[in-house]
Amino acid sequence: MEETSIIISGFGGQGTLFAGQVLAYTALDNGFEVTWIPSYGPEMRGGTAHCTVIVSEEPIGSPLVRHPDIVLAMNLPSVDKYESVMPEGGALIANSSLVNREIERENIDSLLIPANEIAETIGMSRLGNMVMIGAMIKIRPLFSLEMTQESLKSHIPERHQKTLPLNFEALEKGYKFAEEEFSAIKV
Amino acid sequence: MEETSIIISGFGGQGTLFAGQVLAYTALDNGFEVTWIPSYGPEMRGGTAHCTVIVSEEPIGSPLVRHPDIVLAMNLPSVDKYESVMPEGGALIANSSLVNREIERENIDSLLIPANEIAETIGMSRLGNMVMIGAMIKIRPLFSLEMTQESLKSHIPERHQKTLPLNFEALEKGYKFAEEEFSAIKV
Amino acid sequence: MPVTGWIEVDELYCKGCSLCTEACPQDVLRLDMDRLTPKGYHPAQMIEETCTGCGICAVVCPDAAITVYREKTQRKNKQRAGR
Amino acid sequence: MPVTGWIEVDELYCKGCSLCTEACPQDVLRLDMDRLTPKGYHPAQMIEETCTGCGICAVVCPDAAITVYREKTQRKNKQRAGR
Amino acid sequence: MVSTTTEIVYQRPESFTDVHTHYCPGCTHGTAHRLVAEVIDEMNLREETIGVAPVGCSVFAYNYFQMDFVEAAHGRAPAMATGIKRVLPENTVFTYQGDGDLASIGMAEIMHAAIRGENITVIFINNAIYGMTGGQMAPTTLTGMKTTSSPLGRDVEMTGNPVQMAEILSQVKGSGYIVRRSLHDAAHIRKAKKAIRLAFEAQNRGLGFSMVELLSSCPTNWKMSAQEALDFVGEKMVPVFPLGDYKVNPALEKLRV
Amino acid sequence: MVSTTTEIVYQRPESFTDVHTHYCPGCTHGTAHRLVAEVIDEMNLREETIGVAPVGCSVFAYNYFQMDFVEAAHGRAPAMATGIKRVLPENTVFTYQGDGDLASIGMAEIMHAAIRGENITVIFINNAIYGMTGGQMAPTTLTGMKTTSSPLGRDVEMTGNPVQMAEILSQVKGSGYIVRRSLHDAAHIRKAKKAIRLAFEAQNRGLGFSMVELLSSCPTNWKMSAQEALDFVGEKMVPVFPLGDYKVNPALEKLRV
Amino acid sequence: MAKELLKGNHAFAEAAVRAGVEAFYGYPITPSTEFLEHMAARMPELGRAFVQAESEVSAINMVYGAACTGKRVMTASSSPGLSLMMEGISYIAGTEVPAVVVNVMRGGPGLGNIAPSQGDYYQMVKGGGHGDYFPIVLAPANVQEAIDYISLAFDLAEKYLSIVHVIVDGNMGQMMEPAELPPMRELPEKAPDWAVRGAKGREPNILTSIYIDPEDEEVTNLRLLKRWKEIEKNEVRFEELMMEDAEFAVIGFGTAGRVASSAVREARSQGIAAGLLRPVTLAPFPEKRLEEIADQVERILVVEMNSGMMLDDVLRIVKGKVPVEFYGRMGGVTPLPDEILAEIERLSQNQGEIAGDPRNEWMARLEKQITGEK
Amino acid sequence: MAKELLKGNHAFAEAAVRAGVEAFYGYPITPSTEFLEHMAARMPELGRAFVQAESEVSAINMVYGAACTGKRVMTASSSPGLSLMMEGISYIAGTEVPAVVVNVMRGGPGLGNIAPSQGDYYQMVKGGGHGDYFPIVLAPANVQEAIDYISLAFDLAEKYLSIVHVIVDGNMGQMMEPAELPPMRELPEKAPDWAVRGAKGREPNILTSIYIDPEDEEVTNLRLLKRWKEIEKNEVRFEELMMEDAEFAVIGFGTAGRVASSAVREARSQGIAAGLLRPVTLAPFPEKRLEEIADQVERILVVEMNSGMMLDDVLRIVKGKVPVEFYGRMGGVTPLPDEILAEIERLSQNQGEIAGDPRNEWMARLEKQITGEK
Ligand SMILES: Cc1ncc(C[n+]2csc(CCOP(=O)(O)OP(=O)(O)O)c2C)c(N)n1
Ligand SMILES: Cc1ncc(C[n+]2csc(CCOP(=O)(O)OP(=O)(O)O)c2C)c(N)n1
Ligand code: SF4
Ligand code: SF4
Ligand code: SF4
Ligand code: SF4
């Protein structure tokens, strides 16, 4: 596998930064090189928050990219911002709970997933981010579901351990949703 | 006349800096180029004070010299410091009131003058500096006595105007003393 | 005839902090959970007509989002000279 | 028998500020106008023998130049036990 | 004979721009801004006022006030205001500063502005924390309060006690009007506005340095809801920072506003 | 039965080096130095004391004390002392500062050392002027006093009133011992020494920030004789800077020195 | 110890803790604040000194004080904070005591913004403080390197009684990368003989930066300069990528150098013989190596996140042997690999001489570019 | 007006008064204090603003404030004071408001001493503050020149909305020379349209150095850089002595350059074809002229009162075309003509290449020399 770049973007409070860290931990635990870099500063307050994760087998140069291979867009502004800049053959996963439009690009894989609703079925609306991750690793299997759950388990902060089962469930539900709904690239 | 450098040195309070300014003003009033530069900083407090005056017909480069052509030494440390560094043919005028030794150098003009005592005869002991200047312009006639008195008159601070006659007298007494006592260079 | 009032909330400024809803002595303000402002907040709104126009909500609003109106009844008296 | 004292002025330190001569309650200190210290000041000196050794000069001396001595007379008493 | 008319009890001040502030929901920076704007409207000073914004959450204050503004270096607003006031004595000059800005890095500048009796007005927002940088301890942080730079709670042994600027500045002869008010409910907000009015009146009358310290909230870094934060101000901060008039030039006492 | 012995009533303190100071004749910097040295002798602290010299006429203090010393940047002695005391809590650390150093450029550092309750001792020489740089106005310069930077005399309108540091610092909770004394005659010098003793005792007992403000003379820049300068301190400065105890930790009150 | 995923600022701070730092004095500022926050938690629990100072001016003077005791001490800040430390840094340098100062650089001048920048190169490398002094400047480009060089910084500071700056940009401070922290070092138990800790049974130690007699100051200046020459001899460090056979050299430090490495790899894959020189010690600068490279390559591209500062040093050393071009992004913008790749491609075509300031052509190109980007 | 005998600091201050400075904010420090003292007397009597600030930090921020009103404002200080002004200077530069800052340099680093020095070259010329900015730096060498360039400083500051530094050493501040003061200038009655003086009948003016979006900051950085290029084009100033047919060029600024002029004259009288280039604008540096000189002469000697700072710029520009040697005195020592003459003589004999840092050989020579002098 050569270098893969992922951007996870949404409102502050949607857990985009942590979602990125889960991917980073999974990469680390499975012997990949990885970088995680957040947006920081005032825009965090209230506004949007995003992070860039790069996974690779080689040492990583730039931790930032202009054309992310994979984008997890948890709100509409994020879709608007990234859809156009993704490379052909990229994968855009959008949270349809907050994105009330279709994906226009046809030369990329795309999936609309109602992450919030799915999370609510689990009874923990904050877990939309994990639902998105679950879907992603189905569509772009950088790591298996198990690998991801393993790493989540070993790195989730103490105070959240009790929510681990719910997190697993969210990952699985996202994974399953992608399994059923995702039909590969249209062109 | 080419460049002439003069150092006036003594204890703080002996009026060495003002004496230098009198020379500088006289030079200016008579169309010479001139620089006046004092020692400054802590050593002023209590310790010694000296200034370097350079008079020339050309624009002046360095305002500082290593080998002063003329030295007015108002105390012993000043004689000790400068006698040795003066160029052959230089002129050293020492205030014998505070310098209780002979001048050793034979290849320079030198004069020992009891400036304090002479000043006291005028009734103003602080005027030792003017006595020294008077002697100097006799031995090294950069300017005439009249030129010097003119400049002194026009530049002495308001509050000291009343002491002008005494200053004149001090200049004259120094000038006269040199006239009588000074026998040109020994070798 | 009672003094009555009403308010308008400017959704450009409202951030749904609910300080006004907490402060309203008549308890006639609520956040509108069905709507989002352009900035993504649930705006405050008036839910009953018993507002007295006391203006307390506007005083506590950190974002100067509230305009308060009051309907005033005045009885005009004949002016007495020299007074 | 009166208590008597005397002082020594260290000329390495004395700056002839004459604070001691002004402060001396016995008025027994003066600056010595005939001598200069190595630093060029007229040092203070004792001019009469009536110094009580009160030490005031030393207390006011900014340059710790003064050492003060006092001759002390003591009457030895037999110690009483238990006291 | 009876008639009804509609009057506007309250509306957004003229001295405000129509910009949505970047402050967190419920942050009383907004309240303080509003009161200043209202006072400037009432006194009709907008066109002659120059504001000095600090470094802190209110760094963008100049976007919200419809008047000339400059943006100072962290803590130096009083020096910058001095530089302005001395060349434009006829203008009204005020600084708006947080507690890190005024009481920590800017201690020398605020003290000396007061010592010189600099004829400026200072609006001092005491929210017991560094807001902009994400919740570090301020000199005003309450004893035992957890912040990102006092994770176990402020320890008096190591960091000293909360500093009371109004008390300290009132010790300085040059100061003309030094008071502390709070923004935690409508009644206190009204009192705060009166104080701000008097502070600007003091400047207009050339009575020297004037400061209004405003106890303020930081729901975000206190990790509370907006209302909880106001309750915290009223219940926890007011006891440590007593409200009151610490220095009032006699010329102001008669004044009714 | 009678015998006579010779006792030494006073001699130069051990904590002094045998260096002739650079101070002007009659300057009470020397007196203050001597008192500090005597106290350190009495308390037997010489070998564990670290002094912090300021920038000012006393910049060379380290040449006169027989103990470890550092030389701070202008006004920053309290910060430097903090840096030292925090890593060497067992050592005795004191700063020695002039009024330009402490009350002007160093205002933030002295205030915050006190606010933190930093367990250091500060000897504050208030001579109402900038000595080293040749007699400019200090924050402590008396109203109407002519200096090289207030040639027409200090004008309260433009420069404010003389600043009273003891009063201000006593407002701070962290301070353990804050007093003002004077050096203008033997009796006051003796009182000043007692205060310096108590300040160091306060540090030894971990009572927090201690400062002794000493009214001092600058004959050179005041253009007076040494004695005239002392009289000026007694007659002109004392009324503006009242002597007294502004803050005394109860633990010290019992103490007899 | 295995690699962990570490956030830059926390990793740097923990590295200092492991290196045995005994005191941290600082003041919060984005994007370095987590450094202070980490210390606020760690130092007290280890019984070491931590003070959140009232300002950076105070912080650096606290550092100065502790440095005089011979204890290991440091501070960390960002650009405006560093400006406030310039007087203190000059004092520390003039007193010849060891101290480590970390700068997590942000966009400037003035308040600027909090985005990653390298705009403090002059200030850090040439000495933004007054007088003649010579700071050692380390510029790591990834979290692991930063961890390692922060330990090294203390050793260099103590070996040469010098100020050591470790400078990174906001990206480094904020990003997470796998890295390994060193084990805890022993704290030295005996004090250096110059340290002030009380003159017990010895002559007093006096630490000062004042030499009122110019002759004495000159001797001190010369001592500092000679020590600097030693440092230049012993302590130069740099990284290279595919320089052996390179015809085009890219030179960049920190994040700019790191991003450039991606571009260089890409260029190689396109058959362009590019190579990278990434100075790790900006002072002392890898002069010898650059001279060799100037003899080897056809053209040099300097890449910085500023308006062209290291560029001056490169020009001075290259002495016009080969053309030097410049590409920079400013104000907190981080260049991306494709931009640098495009530059390398252009470079590999361009035979022309560079008349005068290499920045002239870049400015014209950049202006188009950003008016495009906006 | 006829020439008078004027003391440097007083003359500089009076020159500023005549140039129409409307506010002076400063803090005393030797050897610049008389500047402030002169202002303390003059400004109030003219009804202009004077404040003795509590510190240099405060002084520069007062200057910043007044600069934002479009009034003519300045401060003056000496080396350590300048270090404390670095943050404020960076803010002023970032806000693009005009201000004049005079530095009467003294020996450093640290407290150092109060003797004349040129050790702040890097700090003043490269920008000791954080971020990318470009101060204009004027370095007069005699009292008359200083008087003239202080007036010019205000014009340049206002023309380019820039910080202008006027740097001299303690000698210049303390010496007296005959010079002529200009007549009083009229004060401008109308405010620049960007100035903050109250938004009466216009949209508010906002002056800030913050550009939270890196793209905006970059546009600002580029604007500053382009303005700088204009300045480089228009404002280079320098003095020369007998350069026409010179085979050996001496380069020095301020007092060092002035002292060198005596040595150059002396060398000529000995038949050595020496000449002097004395940059008056250190920034922008006389690059073009130096390039021409590098093509003309056999050898170059750089003379400074520091450890070799301008030397870097000379080396960068000369590009190794001819050997460059260095002679410096440090720590407050002013070189005397005979020292420089000896260097010129040595230079005129020396055919050897200069390997590596020109300072190496000088250091060896200087060490002998000063151990001799002491
Ligand atoms: C010289 C400098 N140091 C530090 C900072 C970082 N900084 C920005 S705002 C701030 C403190 C803000 O707290 P406060 O003044 O209380 O205002 P608030 O944000 O709470 O309103 C700090 C430390 C800076 N910008 N400049
Ligand atoms: C940063 C800085 N600013 C200014 C100075 C110049 N300076 C030296 S001492 C001093 C003031 C001294 O006055 P004070 O602190 O009252 O001590 P005193 O000399 O009166 O004992 C000043 C302004 C300096 N050395 N450093
Ligand atoms: S107080 Fe203001 S901002 Fe908050 S909810 Fe009410 S209207 Fe909205
Ligand atoms: S007080 Fe001290 S210094 Fe002054 S004259 Fe007396 S002994 Fe000398
Ligand atoms: S961080 Fe705190 S102070 Fe800043 S805007 Fe948010 S609530 Fe207000
Ligand atoms: S100048 Fe003043 S303070 Fe300084 S030593 Fe002389 S008398 Fe003392």
Side-chain angles (χ1 to χ4, degrees), chain D residues 7-10 13-21 29-31 42-45 57-58 60-66, chain F residues 25-26:
Chain D
I7 71 159
E8 279 168 20
V9 173
D10 187 328
Y13 305 117
C14 176
K15 292 173 184 159
C17 72
S18 64
L19 288 179
C20 56
T21 63
L29 301 181
R30 292 280 181 285
L31 297 191
H42 295 294
Q45 63 177 355
C57 56
V60 298
C61 174
D63 288 277
I66 304 181

Side-chain angles (χ1 to χ4, degrees), chain A residues 49-175:
Chain A
H50 68 268
C51 64
T52 305
V53 177
I54 296 182
V55 180
S56 170
E57 280 161 348
E58 302 300 310
I60 297 164
S62 173
L64 299 165
V65 294
R66 189 185 310 278
H67 308 297
D69 302 315
I70 305 172
V71 171
L72 309 194
M74 307 217 20
N75 64 4
L76 182 59
S78 304
V79 177
D80 297 341
K81 182 170 176 192
Y82 293 109
E83 179 177 7
S84 57
V85 301
M86 295 183 65
E88 201 170 317
L92 170 57
I93 301 169
N95 173 13
S96 55
S97 313
L98 293 183
V99 177
N100 46 16
R101 76 162 169 89
E102 289 305 307
I103 306 302
E104 279 125 32
R105 290 269 307 266
E106 306 231 306
N107 58 356
I108 58 172
D109 286 341
S110 62
L111 174 71
L112 283 166
I113 175 170
N116 296 23
E117 282 79 352
I118 294 177
E120 267 144 25
T121 64
I122 304 168
M124 204 168 170
S125 53
R126 285 197 296 91
L127 290 179
N129 56 348
M130 288 302 119
V131 174
M132 301 283 286
I133 294 288
M136 176 201 126
I137 57 178
K138 174 71 188 74
I139 296 172
R140 288 288 186 272
L142 297 180
F143 337 102
S144 71
L145 184 58
E146 295 62 34
M147 288 159 78
T148 313
Q149 292 180 326
E150 252 327 295
S151 297
L152 180 58
K153 180 161 169 218
S154 45
H155 298 288
I156 193 168
E158 252 320 318
R159 62 188 185 290
H160 293 143
Q161 275 295 352
K162 51 182 167 0
T163 71
L164 194 58
L166 296 178
N167 279 272
F168 280 14
E169 197 179 338
L171 283 168
E172 286 152 13
K173 288 224 155 122
Y175 192 91

Side-chain angles (χ1 to χ4, degrees), chain C residues 9 13-21 29 31 42-44 57 60-66, chain E residues 26:
Chain C
V9 174
Y13 304 117
C14 176
K15 291 174 184 159
C17 72
S18 63
L19 286 179
C20 56
T21 63
L29 301 181
L31 297 192
H42 295 295
C57 56
V60 298
C61 174
D63 288 276
I66 305 182

